[in-house]
Amino acid sequence: RVRCLTMRYLAAYMLAQLGGTNRPQEDDIKNILSSVGIECEKERVKLLLDQLHGKNVHDLIHEGKEKMSTVCVAAAPAGGAPAAAGGAPAAAAESKAAAKEEEKKEESEESDADMGFGLFD
């Protein structure tokens, strides 16, 4: 919950910068948050401004992207690890075949679902 609230303040700070304010202040953040019905807590704004003081936001974003690039967020493939080197075309063909099979399965489920009766028959 604390992070969510903090992100609101950071988002307001970034919006103020996008709007042309080079160094957003407490009033800028308060105005942005209040425009969407969020009550501004002075302590949180002060903490944010203290943490961002003297820092370039674009550099912080770039550093964050670098950190996020090292985080693996993809799920492992269902069939295990793909084969090395020449396995990519085979994996693509398998995925296409699986997609076609899934489509056929969905079509058959739809036809079974109505049991020969239409909604407006």
Side-chain angles (χ1 to χ4, degrees):
R1 174 128 172 107
V2 172
R3 283 194 175 171
C4 180
L5 294 175
T6 304
M7 289 303 294
R8 292 178 181 179
Y9 294 96
L10 180 58
Y13 185 92
M14 298 292 290
L15 284 171
Q17 279 206 326
L18 285 172
T21 306
N22 290 334
R23 294 196 34 96
Q25 300 300 314
E26 183 178 339
D27 288 338
D28 300 317
I29 295 171
K30 183 179 179 181
N31 290 338
I32 291 170
L33 292 175
S34 66
S35 73
V36 292
I38 298 173
E39 190 175 321
C40 185
E41 296 178 26
K42 290 185 179 186
E43 311 84 45
R44 292 190 187 269
V45 175
K46 184 177 181 338
L47 177 65
L48 176 73
L49 293 175
D50 288 345
Q51 289 178 344
L52 293 177
H53 182 71
K55 295 180 182 174
N56 182 333
V57 174
H58 297 288
D59 291 341
L60 293 174
I61 291 171
H62 182 69
E63 288 174 24
K65 282 184 181 179
E66 287 178 359
K67 287 181 182 179
M68 291 300 292
S69 69
T70 63
V71 176
C72 180
V73 294
E94 285 181 26
S95 109
K96 284 183 182 178
K100 286 182 181 179
E101 187 177 306
E102 184 70 26
E103 270 185 40
K104 288 179 183 177
K105 185 177 178 182
E106 286 178 11
E107 287 176 13
S108 68
E109 287 176 1
E110 288 176 8
S111 63
D112 291 343
D114 67 6
M115 294 184 280
F117 299 105
L119 182 61
F120 299 104
D121 287 342

